Amino acid sequence: MSYETILVEQKGAVTLITLNRPQALNALNSQVLADLTDAFAKFDADESQRCAVLTGSEKAFAAGADIKEMSSQSFADMYGSNFFAGYDRVTATRKPWIAAVAGWALGGGCELAMMADFIIAADSAKFGQPEIKLAVTPGMGGSQRLTRAVGKAKAMEMCLTGRNMDAAEAEASGLVARVVPAADLVTEALKTAETIAGMAPLAAIAAKEMVNAAFETTLQQGVVFERRLFHGLFGSEDQKEGMAAFIEKRPGNWTGK
Ligand code: HXC
């Protein structure tokens, strides 16, 4: 499948999606959104694919929403078209996916990375919500996801001053799962994705759903939700296989049933 603004490759059971607008530091315009939503929908629907990695270039994961495209939009244009709501289709992806971030992840770029199930950062990564410098604010979930990831103090400071976080601070504050040398970023992210792709598919989707539930429910509701999904997995063939494989000291052979 070929797209205008992204590259999509299947590497075994892992889909690698690369943002590819180098002339604009991967700024997210409408075409990027159209391409990404299509690629994520196809990834989710393809039974041979189990995990995805979304990455950018060495210089920029994405330098934000496309300022040139947005600059002349009116309130009626933005509100009327529910601008950015299309990204809800990216976050609706049921299978796990990782953002592999090198260089700039600013504004919408930071927000897109935070839509991933987790972020692996290169040591060159810089995260920020600089929209305030353009007299606007985050609009793709940044004020909510950044606050949940790093807490109020840092999120508020970043959204109000537009200052960036480097990779070390992002790791220390819980924004990213791990920092790796820039040269190893995609290899490390693909290796992690392969590990996830090697797990029983229903368990992987259930694990993702229950961790996400922690952001939407009370502790008690979340614990019950987790327990019910856990109980449900005992209805799967893969649970029988996984536990038999452990007892027989062999690797599990998953059917996804
Ligand atoms: C459109 C962009 C862009 C963007 C960079 N470019 N960011 N085009 N939208 N967000 C373009 C530049 O115009 C330039 O093209 C080319 O990419 C290279 O960028 P430079 O600025 O020349 O590169 P450099 O000097 O290395 O600086 C890198 C940078 C800077 C620090 C990342 O580009 C920058 O500050 N970009 C904007 C970051 C930002 O404000 N992001 C938030 C966007 S608002 P030309 O052809 O001109 O040379 C946002 C809103 C979300 O995301 C929701 C609320 C509305």
Side-chain angles (χ1 to χ4, degrees):
M1 173 60 69
S2 86
Y3 295 97
E4 213 175 293
T5 65
I6 61 174
L7 303 169
V8 180
E9 298 159 75
Q10 290 190 349
K11 295 176 176 292
V14 174
T15 301
L16 175 64
I17 305 173
T18 306
L19 296 163
N20 187 32
R21 284 191 79 208
Q23 72 285 5
L25 299 182
N26 292 331
L28 307 168
N29 64 7
S30 323
Q31 191 58 48
V32 177
L33 173 60
D35 289 352
L36 277 180
T37 50
D38 190 73
F40 273 101
K42 290 204 162 74
F43 156 67
D44 230 11
D46 185 339
E47 282 192 8
S48 73
Q49 298 302 290
R50 299 277 162 85
C51 189
V53 171
L54 175 65
T55 196
S57 69
E58 265 174 47
K59 186 161 185 210
F61 176 74
D66 192 310
I67 299 168
K68 292 168 189 167
E69 187 183 66
M70 281 186 303
S71 61
S72 60
Q73 300 285 303
S74 67
F75 167 77
D77 295 332
M78 298 301 256
Y79 189 59
S81 68
N82 205 6
F83 201 77
F84 287 147
Y87 280 98
D88 293 347
R89 282 181 277 149
V90 173
T91 59
T93 305
R94 295 190 72 217
K95 292 176 188 170
W97 64 281
I98 302 168
V101 175
W104 300 110
L106 298 181
C110 184
E111 295 171 290
L112 176 60
M114 291 190 293
M115 290 176 197
D117 296 312
F118 59 93
I119 300 172
I120 297 180
D123 48 16
S124 64
K126 289 171 286 290
F127 299 89
Q129 299 292 160
E131 292 92 339
I132 191 122
K133 297 180 190 169
L134 303 168
V136 289
T137 62
M140 283 167 53
S143 64
Q144 305 304 298
R145 293 195 177 91
L146 187 63
T147 307
R148 281 164 168 79
V150 306
K152 178 180 170 184
K154 279 182 188 288
M156 193 67 96
E157 188 196 13
M158 288 170 73
C159 290
L160 284 175
T161 69
R163 89 159 170 92
N164 297 333
M165 229 187 220
D166 65 16
E169 186 181 3
E171 185 178 29
S173 359
L175 179 59
V176 310
R178 202 146 52 85
V179 178
V180 299
D184 304 337
L185 176 68
V186 175
T187 312
E188 280 296 323
L190 286 173
K191 215 190 289 173
T192 306
E194 275 158 27
T195 300
I196 296 168
M199 302 301 170
L202 296 179
I205 291 177
K208 170 170 171 163
E209 277 188 9
M210 62 180 71
V211 173
N212 280 334
F215 294 95
E216 308 288 349
T217 63
T218 63
L219 177 61
Q220 179 58 19
Q221 287 167 333
V223 167
V224 171
F225 180 74
E226 174 196 87
R227 199 181 298 140
R228 293 295 173 249
L229 278 178
F230 167 76
H231 292 161
L233 289 170
F234 282 74
S236 70
E237 289 173 13
D238 283 344
Q239 174 271 327
K240 299 288 172 289
E241 165 64 9
M243 294 194 179
F246 173 81
I247 293 163
E248 292 159 19
K249 302 189 190 301
R250 60 173 177 81
N253 183 20
W254 315 127
T255 60
K257 305 275 187 231

